[in-house]
Amino acid sequence: MRSSNPVFSRRGFSRDNGHAGFNAPPQAGATATGTAANPYATNPYAQTDTHGAPQAPARSDVMTIDGVVTRTAMTLGTVILAAAAAWWIMPVDQANLGTAYGVAIGAALIGFVLSLVNSFKRRPSPALILTYAAFEGVFLGIVSNIVSMYVAPGAAMQAVIGTMAVFAGVLIAYRTGLIRVTRRFYGFVMAAAIGFMLLMMVNLLFAVFGGGDGLGFRSGALGVVFGIVAIVIGACILALNFKQVEDGIAYGAPREEEWLAAFGLTVTLVWIYIEMLRLVAILSGDD
């Protein structure tokens, strides 16, 4: 099962004075105190007071929380609809199991390529983001069906509930200040995510060329440990996503950035769901 989130690296966080924000060239709105520069300083929609602090945008064609919620609902809704369609249309009985795996792998690869394309495009593309969501949904629907049928009945629902609980918990912790996205926090999350993905790539290579489960990081007791670590990393990335949304709204980002925020949140939630599903499968006693 793939665990990757290329999105949170598309918009970096500044490292000036320990303040977490978006990266921007020093000349593009940096303050005299060395705090984070406004990445939208050249954006005619951005509004600031006499001290240079961001104010609520006065125009309607800028990023808003309602817009982010709407775009996120559309993207996640596409994932859910595609997953439900794949679950009911693609048979996963013994006679068709090989075909189902092939379709799932194909959808995952296409979704991965689209995630990279969306991550590095200069301007978000709603069509490409929704297409990514559709293919990711097909992958999740088939894999969830297989796990629920052959490994742990009800695993998909447990993974959904777990993912929702993580999202709600991180949102509450972020809004109440229990989680503060600082330079140190950002650096720790980035290092942990990169290290985790590299380790999983090594494990995959050992599995491909040596057979079995490679180094054993994704099954048994080690699988539980690494599954929990992956979910914690995903939760931390959610906090980075929330900071991205908060900064975009505060600085009056263009409305199209709502799609980027929705894409980032979707990729992170897919990561958490996959790891939740794997964790449920391992705890069922049969990976």
Side-chain angles (χ1 to χ4, degrees):
M1 296 181 182
R2 180 170 56 83
S3 293
S4 60
N5 188 348
V7 166
F8 68 91
S9 61
R10 184 186 187 279
R11 291 278 194 252
F13 290 77
S14 76
R15 291 171 170 76
D16 298 327
N17 201 29
H19 177 81
F22 289 79
N23 277 331
Q27 67 272 20
T31 65
T33 58
T35 55
N38 180 355
Y40 300 104
T42 58
N43 173 18
Y45 312 141
Q47 304 293 321
T48 59
D49 59 20
T50 56
H51 302 289
Q55 291 181 330
R59 297 179 55 131
S60 60
D61 47 357
V62 293
M63 186 176 182
T64 65
I65 188 61
D66 289 341
V68 173
V69 171
T70 300
R71 272 49 173 187
T72 302
M74 293 171 63
T75 308
L76 285 176
T78 301
V79 173
I80 293 170
L81 289 175
W87 181 299
W88 293 109
I89 294 174
M90 186 73 236
V92 295
D93 54 7
Q94 290 293 338
N96 296 283
L97 189 58
T99 301
Y101 270 120
V103 173
I105 293 173
L109 290 175
I110 294 174
F112 177 70
V113 172
L114 288 173
S115 72
L116 293 179
V117 172
N118 283 311
S119 297
F120 294 106
K121 278 181 63 66
R122 289 183 59 85
R123 302 183 65 174
S125 170
L128 285 178
I129 290 173
L130 293 177
T131 302
Y132 154 81
F135 278 102
E136 200 69 40
V138 171
F139 166 67
L140 294 180
I142 295 175
V143 170
S144 299
N145 196 7
I146 291 173
V147 172
S148 295
M149 178 173 290
Y150 294 101
V151 181
M157 182 56 64
Q158 294 177 56
V160 168
I161 294 174
T163 302
M164 292 172 61
V166 171
F167 179 85
V170 175
L171 180 59
I172 292 172
Y174 181 82
R175 295 300 298 172
T176 57
L178 292 177
I179 295 178
R180 297 182 61 233
V181 179
T182 63
R183 177 184 58 158
R184 180 173 298 180
F185 180 87
Y186 171 75
F188 169 78
V189 174
M190 286 292 294
I194 292 173
F196 179 84
M197 288 187 284
L198 289 175
L199 188 60
M200 293 306 102
M201 289 177 61
V202 171
N203 186 70
L204 178 62
L205 288 175
F206 272 88
V208 170
F209 294 104
D213 189 42
L215 299 175
F217 293 144
R218 305 304 273 159
S219 63
L222 274 179
V224 172
V225 172
F226 277 92
I228 294 174
V229 169
I231 292 170
V232 171
I233 292 174
C236 292
I237 294 172
L238 267 181
L240 300 187
N241 293 145
F242 294 152
K243 179 62 176 176
Q244 180 187 42
V245 172
E246 186 177 57
D247 284 352
I249 293 172
Y251 286 129
R255 179 182 291 175
E256 63 186 11
E257 294 289 317
E258 294 170 352
W259 280 106
L260 178 66
F263 177 52
L265 287 167
T266 300
V267 173
T268 304
L269 290 173
V270 166
W271 174 339
I272 295 173
Y273 173 82
I274 290 174
E275 295 301 335
M276 282 284 184
L277 190 66
R278 179 185 291 276
L279 191 58
V280 171
I282 294 174
L283 292 176
S284 72
D286 184 10
D287 186 18

